[in-house]
Amino acid sequence: MGLDQIIKDCQANNIKAQEQLYRLLAPKLFAVCLKYSRSRADAEDNLQDGFILLFDKIGQYRFQGSFEGWAKRLMINNVLQKYRTTGVFSLVTENIPEEADVYVEADEVSMEFLVKIIQELPDRYRTVFNLYVTDGYSHKEIAEMLGITDGTSKSNLARARMILKEKIEALQKTGDYRIQNE
């Protein structure tokens, strides 16, 4: 059965089709949730809540463009909505610190370590960092999504990069190589 048929069956509330769609998309959408969540447990909760929302809104999908892209956007918006309701983005500042460049050798730091230190960022910094760096949104788009100014988006990105740079440099100075790819 093709993806279009699975989607149509999900639109008709077919539980078996919903299970198939979940199995097909859960790994990719979990990776999205993991990027925007504080922890693995939060990512699991966000994935579950996101799939409930996805199945609720799947009737709005019109078979135009990538379904996976539509689902990814829905997951991101679901996580962002949770943060909006908790006031994570209420701090507004226009002070933009100097841009922090982070240079890391590809074999020096594991992907698990990078995910871990990104998850440790404060919510607003992690969210802006992921939207800008990994998902390619512009500062204008991020500002609209989060209800902040372009300058605040730029400031939060710069601070996120600075924090990540400091953590990586501290690791490099201490010679703690437990994070290396093995």
Side-chain angles (χ1 to χ4, degrees):
M1 183 181 319
L3 180 60
D4 285 353
Q5 187 59 50
I6 294 171
I7 294 167
K8 287 175 187 175
D9 290 348
C10 286
Q11 290 174 334
N13 293 320
N14 180 309
I15 293 174
K16 289 189 188 261
Q18 290 175 341
E19 182 181 348
Q20 280 184 295
L21 188 62
Y22 179 87
R23 290 184 190 279
L24 184 67
L25 294 181
K28 291 176 184 176
L29 295 179
F30 181 68
V32 170
C33 291
L34 199 55
K35 286 190 319 187
Y36 289 94
S37 302
R38 294 180 185 120
S39 67
R40 187 171 189 84
D42 282 350
E44 290 168 355
D45 289 345
N46 288 330
L47 180 69
Q48 181 178 355
D49 293 344
F51 263 102
I52 291 169
L53 182 64
L54 184 145
F55 291 133
D56 186 50
K57 295 194 177 278
I58 199 164
Q60 296 175 6
Y61 180 68
R62 299 291 176 229
F63 299 91
Q64 297 171 346
S66 161
F67 179 77
E68 191 174 307
W70 180 84
K72 178 183 174 186
R73 177 76 179 215
L74 191 124
M75 286 289 167
I76 292 171
N77 286 336
N78 181 57
V79 175
L80 296 181
Q81 183 59 37
K82 287 182 180 183
Y83 290 142
R84 276 189 219 105
T85 59
T86 59
V88 166
F89 303 112
S90 61
L91 178 64
V92 176
T93 178
E94 295 295 328
N95 298 332
I96 302 172
E98 187 177 316
E99 192 73 18
D101 291 326
V102 182
Y103 299 100
V104 179
E105 292 293 326
D107 62 346
E108 191 172 337
V109 178
S110 70
M111 183 57 73
E112 292 80 14
F113 176 75
L114 290 175
V115 169
K116 180 181 178 293
I117 64 172
I118 290 170
Q119 284 180 327
E120 291 172 354
L121 288 170
D123 293 334
R124 64 184 167 271
Y125 299 161
R126 181 184 61 253
T127 302
V128 171
F129 179 86
N130 281 317
L131 287 169
Y132 187 84
V133 174
T134 64
D135 291 323
Y137 289 98
S138 70
H139 286 295
K140 181 179 180 182
E141 292 170 317
I142 294 168
E144 290 172 6
M145 291 170 79
L146 303 180
I148 59 176
T149 65
D150 291 11
T152 299
S153 177
K154 291 175 185 176
S155 173
N156 287 342
L157 175 64
R159 288 191 177 135
R161 285 182 170 164
M162 191 178 338
I163 292 168
L164 294 173
K165 179 182 179 192
E166 288 170 359
K167 287 184 180 213
I168 291 169
E169 285 176 349
L171 169 84
Q172 290 170 335
K173 285 180 185 174
T174 62
D176 184 357
Y177 293 102
R178 288 177 289 162
I179 61 160
Q180 272 189 323
N181 290 324
E182 297 183 17

